[in-house]
Amino acid sequence: MNPAPIAVAVVGAAGRLGQFACRVFEGDPRWRLVARYERGERWPDELRASGAQIAFEATRAGLGFEHGRQILAAGVRPLIATSGVSVDEVGELDRLARERQLGGLVVPNFSVGAWLLLRAAELAAAHFEQVELLEAHHPRKADAPSGTALECARRIARARAESGAAPFGAQPSAAARGDVRDGIAIHALRLPGVYARQEAHFASAGELFVLRHEMNGPEAFGPGIVLAALHCARCSGVGLGLDGVFAARA
Ligand SMILES: NC(=O)c1ccc[n+]([C@@H]2O[C@H](COP(=O)([O-])OP(=O)(O)OC[C@H]3O[C@@H](n4cnc5c(N)ncnc54)[C@H](OP(=O)(O)O)[C@@H]3O)[C@@H](O)[C@H]2O)c1
């Protein structure tokens, strides 16, 4: 007998990602979409009574942490897609979830290909003299640099430090040469005709090693949304990214 479907609510259901997530959950018998919330609705008050076990949150950059707190306060597991939740904020959500014996996940990018780029960048971090990141998105994207680019810089810097290699060389001071995060320059483009692109350019004398991931539409988020939501339904505490999802499946 198939297990009972997992009840899920979508917060930000009228947005681009929210609409796509609703289609993913509606089209799969493992899920029961019990509520769709848009802006202006009193969703934090209604969520508890909705019967949702998971709330998929995709609203406006910067709101993810507060919404995560509200979802946990309603006794529901948050799956936060919204950009801009800091590592410290994930730690606070983790503490709140454990207090309530709940779990959840903050996933800045659901694309499995983008996750593989992050892992490959960690591997490359120790082996080159320099690195710069480039991300490109559609002009409607509000935040820059993207959450994925910031996460990529954080992971490269951490892997570099752990390897014992010397820090990367001097970073640019002119704005046109990128915004420096975790000691790594990030260049952000906002262009029509682009959906989402992430590149990591590693270089040493005589060689250039480029990692590039390109998405042309939200379909690429589908498999990662399903894997993350399945993980979210049973995990303890709140994790960041897809690492814990794949570690649990290994
Ligand atoms: N994790 C990932 O893989 C991934 C992928 C794509 C996007 N994102 C992130 O997900 C977020 C949403 O992206 P999007 O492209 O779907 O943006 P979007 O099309 O602008 O959709 C956001 C939706 O959330 C609504 N909203 C705003 N504040 C709200 C609130 N307090 N309560 C409920 N709904 C609220 C907005 O309503 P109004 O239009 O009325 O303001 C809009 O319908 C962004 O932060 C984006 O960077 C993450």
Side-chain angles (χ1 to χ4, degrees):
M1 204 175 82
N2 289 332
I6 299 165
V8 57
V10 174
V11 181
R16 287 180 294 268
L17 185 60
Q19 286 185 39
F20 177 73
C22 288
R23 289 201 295 278
V24 168
F25 292 125
E26 280 178 323
D28 185 330
R30 288 172 292 183
W31 309 101
R32 189 161 55 90
L33 184 60
V34 295
R36 304 162 189 251
Y37 297 116
E38 298 176 14
R39 189 152 71 109
E41 293 179 293
R42 298 188 58 78
W43 64 263
D45 300 333
E46 295 171 12
L47 188 57
R48 186 185 292 276
S50 73
Q53 296 158 272
I54 294 174
F56 181 94
E57 194 272 356
T59 61
R60 189 158 46 79
L63 296 179
F65 173 59
E66 185 52 33
H67 287 171
R69 282 164 47 108
Q70 290 173 314
I71 291 165
L72 285 167
V76 176
R77 294 166 172 265
L79 177 52
I80 307 290
T82 296
S83 304
V85 183
S86 70
V87 172
D88 288 348
E89 288 171 339
V90 175
E92 176 62 7
L93 292 176
D94 181 51
R95 189 187 66 75
L96 292 170
R98 289 180 189 280
E99 254 177 31
R100 293 166 173 76
Q101 297 184 328
L102 288 171
L105 209 50
V106 176
V107 183
N109 192 328
F110 285 105
S111 155
V112 175
W115 176 75
L116 287 168
L117 183 144
L118 295 177
R119 296 302 308 272
E122 283 176 324
L123 275 178
H127 303 292
F128 294 89
E129 292 168 16
Q130 193 53 274
V131 64
E132 298 198 16
L133 307 182
L134 185 150
E135 57 98 335
H137 284 85
H138 54 83
R140 298 177 308 279
K141 183 166 179 58
D143 54 317
S146 70
T148 303
L150 294 172
E151 175 66 1
C152 193
R154 190 180 71 82
R155 283 175 178 245
I156 291 170
R158 187 182 61 191
R160 180 86 171 179
E162 285 173 2
S163 76
F168 290 112
Q171 289 293 337
S173 54
R177 293 279 294 105
D179 192 5
V180 178
R181 304 294 179 93
D182 280 305
I184 294 168
I186 306 177
H187 308 261
L189 310 182
R190 294 294 174 264
L191 295 169
V194 177
Y195 188 77
R197 181 185 306 158
Q198 172 73 41
E199 296 178 7
H201 295 243
F202 290 91
S204 292
E207 68 176 327
L208 177 66
F209 176 67
V210 181
L211 298 169
R212 171 173 169 155
H213 178 252
E214 177 102 29
M215 285 182 54
N216 299 312
E219 297 77 15
F221 295 129
I225 289 176
V226 169
L227 290 174
L230 287 171
H231 181 79
C232 191
R234 57 175 184 270
C235 66
S236 300
V238 173
L240 175 63
L242 294 176
D243 294 287
V245 175
F246 288 109
R249 295 172 70 84

